[in-house]
mmCIF file of all heavy atoms in Angstrom:
data_model
loop_
_atom_site.group_PDB
_atom_site.id
_atom_site.type_symbol
_atom_site.label_atom_id
_atom_site.label_comp_id
_atom_site.label_asym_id
_atom_site.label_seq_id
_atom_site.Cartn_x
_atom_site.Cartn_y
_atom_site.Cartn_z
ATOM 1 N N LEU A 5 128.708 107.054 92.726
ATOM 2 C CA LEU A 5 127.273 106.725 92.984
ATOM 3 C C LEU A 5 126.965 105.428 92.222
ATOM 4 O O LEU A 5 127.617 104.892 91.201
ATOM 5 C CB LEU A 5 126.546 107.821 92.236
ATOM 6 C CG LEU A 5 126.632 109.266 92.901
ATOM 7 C CD1 LEU A 5 125.868 110.189 92.052
ATOM 8 C CD2 LEU A 5 126.167 109.219 94.336
ATOM 9 N N LEU A 6 126.009 104.654 92.845
ATOM 10 C CA LEU A 6 125.568 103.431 92.225
ATOM 11 C C LEU A 6 124.457 103.725 91.229
ATOM 12 O O LEU A 6 123.294 103.846 91.486
ATOM 13 C CB LEU A 6 124.995 102.536 93.381
ATOM 14 C CG LEU A 6 126.062 101.963 94.303
ATOM 15 C CD1 LEU A 6 125.309 101.190 95.423
ATOM 16 C CD2 LEU A 6 126.995 101.022 93.542
ATOM 17 N N ASP A 7 124.837 103.733 89.900
ATOM 18 C CA ASP A 7 123.743 103.904 88.905
ATOM 19 C C ASP A 7 123.166 102.495 88.638
ATOM 20 O O ASP A 7 123.685 101.508 89.072
ATOM 21 C CB ASP A 7 124.508 104.571 87.713
ATOM 22 C CG ASP A 7 125.579 103.802 87.080
ATOM 23 O OD1 ASP A 7 125.752 102.613 87.471
ATOM 24 O OD2 ASP A 7 126.348 104.386 86.391
ATOM 25 N N GLU A 8 122.249 102.578 87.759
ATOM 26 C CA GLU A 8 121.583 101.434 87.465
ATOM 27 C C GLU A 8 122.540 100.217 86.840
ATOM 28 O O GLU A 8 122.371 99.136 87.290
ATOM 29 C CB GLU A 8 120.452 101.612 86.281
ATOM 30 C CG GLU A 8 119.564 100.449 85.952
ATOM 31 C CD GLU A 8 118.417 100.766 85.012
ATOM 32 O OE1 GLU A 8 118.417 101.925 84.592
ATOM 33 O OE2 GLU A 8 117.795 99.813 84.592
ATOM 34 N N LYS A 9 123.458 100.619 86.056
ATOM 35 C CA LYS A 9 124.393 99.573 85.403
ATOM 36 C C LYS A 9 125.271 98.992 86.541
ATOM 37 O O LYS A 9 125.454 97.810 86.545
ATOM 38 C CB LYS A 9 125.283 100.233 84.396
ATOM 39 C CG LYS A 9 126.308 99.291 83.769
ATOM 40 C CD LYS A 9 127.066 100.074 82.748
ATOM 41 C CE LYS A 9 128.214 99.178 82.256
ATOM 42 N NZ LYS A 9 129.055 99.843 81.235
ATOM 43 N N LYS A 10 125.739 99.756 87.423
ATOM 44 C CA LYS A 10 126.593 99.374 88.496
ATOM 45 C C LYS A 10 125.834 98.474 89.422
ATOM 46 O O LYS A 10 126.300 97.373 89.820
ATOM 47 C CB LYS A 10 127.248 100.567 89.257
ATOM 48 C CG LYS A 10 128.148 100.189 90.358
ATOM 49 C CD LYS A 10 129.422 99.546 89.906
ATOM 50 C CE LYS A 10 130.587 99.288 90.934
ATOM 51 N NZ LYS A 10 131.818 98.621 90.412
ATOM 52 N N ARG A 11 124.520 98.807 89.798
ATOM 53 C CA ARG A 11 123.789 97.953 90.700
ATOM 54 C C ARG A 11 123.496 96.666 90.138
ATOM 55 O O ARG A 11 123.550 95.653 90.714
ATOM 56 C CB ARG A 11 122.427 98.736 91.000
ATOM 57 C CG ARG A 11 122.602 99.943 91.875
ATOM 58 C CD ARG A 11 121.168 100.305 92.450
ATOM 59 N NE ARG A 11 120.184 100.630 91.395
ATOM 60 C CZ ARG A 11 119.945 101.884 90.805
ATOM 61 N NH1 ARG A 11 120.807 102.929 91.174
ATOM 62 N NH2 ARG A 11 119.152 101.988 89.936
ATOM 63 N N ALA A 12 123.287 96.588 88.714
ATOM 64 C CA ALA A 12 123.013 95.356 88.006
ATOM 65 C C ALA A 12 124.268 94.538 88.058
ATOM 66 O O ALA A 12 124.224 93.249 88.280
ATOM 67 C CB ALA A 12 122.673 95.677 86.543
ATOM 68 N N GLU A 13 125.440 95.148 87.946
ATOM 69 C CA GLU A 13 126.720 94.319 88.027
ATOM 70 C C GLU A 13 126.870 93.684 89.459
ATOM 71 O O GLU A 13 127.208 92.552 89.589
ATOM 72 C CB GLU A 13 127.921 95.163 87.739
ATOM 73 C CG GLU A 13 127.997 95.656 86.295
ATOM 74 C CD GLU A 13 129.175 96.651 86.052
ATOM 75 O OE1 GLU A 13 129.715 97.028 86.939
ATOM 76 O OE2 GLU A 13 129.298 97.036 84.880
ATOM 77 N N LEU A 14 126.631 94.536 90.498
ATOM 78 C CA LEU A 14 126.952 94.165 91.808
ATOM 79 C C LEU A 14 125.806 93.055 92.242
ATOM 80 O O LEU A 14 126.206 92.285 93.106
ATOM 81 C CB LEU A 14 126.891 95.230 92.824
ATOM 82 C CG LEU A 14 128.082 96.322 92.613
ATOM 83 C CD1 LEU A 14 127.808 97.391 93.565
ATOM 84 C CD2 LEU A 14 129.333 95.509 92.985
ATOM 85 N N ALA A 15 124.766 93.052 91.595
ATOM 86 C CA ALA A 15 123.656 92.110 91.928
ATOM 87 C C ALA A 15 124.150 90.709 91.513
ATOM 88 O O ALA A 15 123.699 89.617 92.118
ATOM 89 C CB ALA A 15 122.361 92.321 91.300
ATOM 90 N N GLN A 16 125.188 90.574 90.623
ATOM 91 C CA GLN A 16 125.709 89.274 90.273
ATOM 92 C C GLN A 16 126.853 88.746 91.125
ATOM 93 O O GLN A 16 127.147 87.585 91.136
ATOM 94 C CB GLN A 16 126.230 89.469 88.825
ATOM 95 C CG GLN A 16 125.271 89.887 87.813
ATOM 96 C CD GLN A 16 123.963 89.058 87.773
ATOM 97 O OE1 GLN A 16 123.941 87.852 87.655
ATOM 98 N NE2 GLN A 16 122.786 89.725 87.812
ATOM 99 N N GLY A 17 127.256 89.538 91.973
ATOM 100 C CA GLY A 17 128.389 89.182 92.933
ATOM 101 C C GLY A 17 129.246 90.278 93.314
ATOM 102 O O GLY A 17 129.057 91.397 92.838
ATOM 103 N N GLN A 18 130.057 89.980 94.401
ATOM 104 C CA GLN A 18 130.953 91.082 94.906
ATOM 105 C C GLN A 18 132.392 90.552 95.003
ATOM 106 O O GLN A 18 132.593 89.307 95.216
ATOM 107 C CB GLN A 18 130.524 91.554 96.159
ATOM 108 C CG GLN A 18 130.387 90.477 97.251
ATOM 109 C CD GLN A 18 130.091 91.088 98.722
ATOM 110 O OE1 GLN A 18 130.602 92.177 98.989
ATOM 111 N NE2 GLN A 18 129.218 90.411 99.400
ATOM 112 N N ALA A 19 133.357 91.457 94.857
ATOM 113 C CA ALA A 19 134.827 91.075 95.036
ATOM 114 C C ALA A 19 135.465 92.349 95.655
ATOM 115 O O ALA A 19 136.250 92.898 94.985
ATOM 116 C CB ALA A 19 135.427 90.617 93.830
ATOM 117 N N PRO A 20 135.149 92.615 96.849
ATOM 118 C CA PRO A 20 135.792 93.804 97.427
ATOM 119 C C PRO A 20 137.295 93.546 97.651
ATOM 120 O O PRO A 20 137.711 92.588 98.078
ATOM 121 C CB PRO A 20 135.082 93.991 98.882
ATOM 122 C CG PRO A 20 134.576 92.469 99.111
ATOM 123 C CD PRO A 20 134.286 91.975 97.815
ATOM 124 N N PHE A 21 138.032 94.753 97.272
ATOM 125 C CA PHE A 21 139.464 94.633 97.348
ATOM 126 C C PHE A 21 140.063 94.747 98.624
ATOM 127 O O PHE A 21 141.167 94.399 98.929
ATOM 128 C CB PHE A 21 140.135 95.600 96.374
ATOM 129 C CG PHE A 21 140.068 97.016 96.743
ATOM 130 C CD1 PHE A 21 140.960 97.499 97.704
ATOM 131 C CD2 PHE A 21 139.169 97.946 96.178
ATOM 132 C CE1 PHE A 21 140.975 98.884 97.872
ATOM 133 C CE2 PHE A 21 139.012 99.151 96.513
ATOM 134 C CZ PHE A 21 140.052 99.767 97.365
ATOM 135 N N ALA A 22 139.211 95.192 99.689
ATOM 136 C CA ALA A 22 139.775 95.362 100.992
ATOM 137 C C ALA A 22 138.580 95.245 102.064
ATOM 138 O O ALA A 22 137.479 95.480 101.664
ATOM 139 C CB ALA A 22 140.525 96.631 101.143
ATOM 140 N N VAL A 23 139.008 94.836 103.121
ATOM 141 C CA VAL A 23 138.056 94.815 104.306
ATOM 142 C C VAL A 23 138.396 95.970 105.358
ATOM 143 O O VAL A 23 139.600 96.074 105.635
ATOM 144 C CB VAL A 23 138.169 93.439 105.150
ATOM 145 C CG1 VAL A 23 137.242 93.402 106.228
ATOM 146 C CG2 VAL A 23 138.011 92.262 104.191
ATOM 147 N N ILE A 24 137.452 96.721 105.705
ATOM 148 C CA ILE A 24 137.650 97.693 106.677
ATOM 149 C C ILE A 24 136.905 97.371 107.884
ATOM 150 O O ILE A 24 135.631 97.363 107.825
ATOM 151 C CB ILE A 24 137.271 99.125 106.231
ATOM 152 C CG1 ILE A 24 137.843 99.409 104.804
ATOM 153 C CG2 ILE A 24 137.721 100.302 107.057
ATOM 154 C CD1 ILE A 24 139.330 99.536 104.660
ATOM 155 N N LEU A 25 137.679 97.206 109.077
ATOM 156 C CA LEU A 25 136.759 97.092 110.318
ATOM 157 C C LEU A 25 137.029 98.310 111.074
ATOM 158 O O LEU A 25 138.047 98.811 111.585
ATOM 159 C CB LEU A 25 137.383 95.896 111.134
ATOM 160 C CG LEU A 25 136.560 95.267 112.252
ATOM 161 C CD1 LEU A 25 137.090 93.973 112.737
ATOM 162 C CD2 LEU A 25 136.471 96.336 113.416
ATOM 163 N N GLY A 26 135.849 99.136 111.005
ATOM 164 C CA GLY A 26 135.990 100.571 111.601
ATOM 165 C C GLY A 26 135.018 100.870 112.711
ATOM 166 O O GLY A 26 134.215 100.024 113.092
ATOM 167 N N CYS A 27 135.041 101.977 113.217
ATOM 168 C CA CYS A 27 134.197 102.406 114.260
ATOM 169 C C CYS A 27 132.873 102.838 113.765
ATOM 170 O O CYS A 27 132.780 103.287 112.615
ATOM 171 C CB CYS A 27 134.895 103.497 115.193
ATOM 172 S SG CYS A 27 134.008 104.029 116.474
ATOM 173 N N SER A 28 131.826 102.840 114.477
ATOM 174 C CA SER A 28 130.480 103.243 114.061
ATOM 175 C C SER A 28 130.381 104.708 114.045
ATOM 176 O O SER A 28 129.296 105.185 113.545
ATOM 177 C CB SER A 28 129.329 102.492 114.951
ATOM 178 O OG SER A 28 129.489 101.228 114.944
ATOM 179 N N ASP A 29 131.439 105.462 114.526
ATOM 180 C CA ASP A 29 131.196 106.894 114.627
ATOM 181 C C ASP A 29 130.680 107.497 113.279
ATOM 182 O O ASP A 29 131.266 107.213 112.244
ATOM 183 C CB ASP A 29 132.660 107.420 114.963
ATOM 184 C CG ASP A 29 132.540 108.862 115.497
ATOM 185 O OD1 ASP A 29 132.172 109.663 114.679
ATOM 186 O OD2 ASP A 29 132.819 109.140 116.588
ATOM 187 N N SER A 30 129.739 108.364 113.398
ATOM 188 C CA SER A 30 129.060 108.922 112.208
ATOM 189 C C SER A 30 130.070 109.844 111.420
ATOM 190 O O SER A 30 129.692 110.215 110.234
ATOM 191 C CB SER A 30 127.814 109.610 112.590
ATOM 192 O OG SER A 30 128.094 110.691 113.450
ATOM 193 N N ARG A 31 131.129 110.248 112.153
ATOM 194 C CA ARG A 31 132.063 111.166 111.507
ATOM 195 C C ARG A 31 133.096 110.421 110.613
ATOM 196 O O ARG A 31 133.970 111.176 110.055
ATOM 197 C CB ARG A 31 132.642 111.964 112.578
ATOM 198 C CG ARG A 31 131.721 112.837 113.445
ATOM 199 C CD ARG A 31 132.418 113.461 114.576
ATOM 200 N NE ARG A 31 132.793 112.430 115.476
ATOM 201 C CZ ARG A 31 133.420 112.706 116.663
ATOM 202 N NH1 ARG A 31 133.803 113.947 117.063
ATOM 203 N NH2 ARG A 31 133.680 111.668 117.477
ATOM 204 N N VAL A 32 132.923 109.174 110.561
ATOM 205 C CA VAL A 32 134.012 108.347 109.869
ATOM 206 C C VAL A 32 133.243 107.508 108.694
ATOM 207 O O VAL A 32 133.194 106.340 108.851
ATOM 208 C CB VAL A 32 134.849 107.524 110.657
ATOM 209 C CG1 VAL A 32 136.043 106.955 110.038
ATOM 210 C CG2 VAL A 32 135.184 108.246 111.935
ATOM 211 N N PRO A 33 132.810 108.179 107.675
ATOM 212 C CA PRO A 33 132.147 107.518 106.610
ATOM 213 C C PRO A 33 133.149 106.792 105.751
ATOM 214 O O PRO A 33 133.848 107.327 104.877
ATOM 215 C CB PRO A 33 131.466 108.691 105.761
ATOM 216 C CG PRO A 33 132.230 109.857 106.039
ATOM 217 C CD PRO A 33 132.868 109.685 107.312
#
C-alpha cells in the first residue's frame, strides 16, 4: 500500500526495477 511516507518518497522521483508491457485485461492486475 502507498502510505503517506511512501507517496512522499515517490513524489521525488522513480526508479522502477522492471518494465512490464502487458495486456489491458482486467483479470491481469
Side-chain angles (χ1 to χ4, degrees):
L5 295 178
L6 286 177
D7 57 20
E8 184 177 356
K9 180 181 178 181
K10 183 66 173 179
R11 290 196 302 272
E13 291 175 358
L14 291 175
Q16 304 305 311
Q18 59 172 322
F21 71 83
V23 182
I24 313 293
L25 197 165
C27 183
S28 298
D29 195 297
S30 63
R31 300 167 294 178
V32 192

